[in-house]
Amino acid sequence: MHLPDPSHPMELTRSQLDLLERLQTVLAGQATQEFTYVTEYLGYLPYGQYCWLAAAGQDLPGEILDSMKFSDLEALEKAGYLRRISEWQNPKDELDCKITYMLRDVE
């Protein structure tokens, strides 16, 4: 498990560091360190927009998303811990997207 170097110029919050640790733990031993952030809006009440993470064709455990915001993934990407591989936006539904990231080791 690689934690950020305290001298790294990008400061991350505790929740962002927790998310990074959970991702590293879940993806350890996987053939690829890729995962996908998925959003979908069911389009009717009482159901709203859902988001989840998936890797190797399976949803990752829900506790990874505990208190996670998309801005946390953006902060990890900006700090160099994630690399955005691809992004897909449904042209008919702006709330339906998939963003694939690769977890990176930052020394």
Side-chain angles (χ1 to χ4, degrees), residues 12-33:
L12 298 173
T13 65
R14 182 73 246 166
S15 64
Q16 292 162 348
L17 293 172
D18 289 344
L19 173 60
L20 178 60
E21 289 179 48
R22 290 191 298 259
L23 287 169
Q24 289 171 330
T25 299
V26 169
L27 296 174
Q30 297 284 335
T32 178
Q33 297 292 292

Side-chain angles (χ1 to χ4, degrees), residues 15-53:
S15 64
Q16 292 162 348
L17 293 172
D18 289 344
L19 173 60
L20 178 60
E21 289 179 48
R22 290 191 298 259
L23 287 169
Q24 289 171 330
T25 299
V26 169
L27 296 174
Q30 297 284 335
T32 178
Q33 297 292 292
E34 292 180 13
F35 68 94
T36 304
Y37 172 79
V38 183
T39 64
E40 181 179 293
Y41 182 69
L42 294 181
Y44 55 91
L45 294 175
Y47 308 105
Q49 184 174 13
Y50 289 91
C51 64
W52 65 94
L53 300 175

Side-chain angles (χ1 to χ4, degrees), residues 1-2 19-37 53-57 60 64 73 76 80-86 99-106:
M1 183 180 314
H2 297 278
L19 173 60
L20 178 60
E21 289 179 48
R22 290 191 298 259
L23 287 169
Q24 289 171 330
T25 299
V26 169
L27 296 174
Q30 297 284 335
T32 178
Q33 297 292 292
E34 292 180 13
F35 68 94
T36 304
Y37 172 79
L53 300 175
L60 297 179
I64 291 176
L73 291 173
L76 291 173
Y81 294 100
L82 300 178
R83 184 170 57 119
R84 193 176 294 215
I85 304 286
S86 66
I99 302 171
T100 301
Y101 293 96
M102 176 178 279
L103 189 59
R104 301 175 62 202
D105 284 338
V106 176

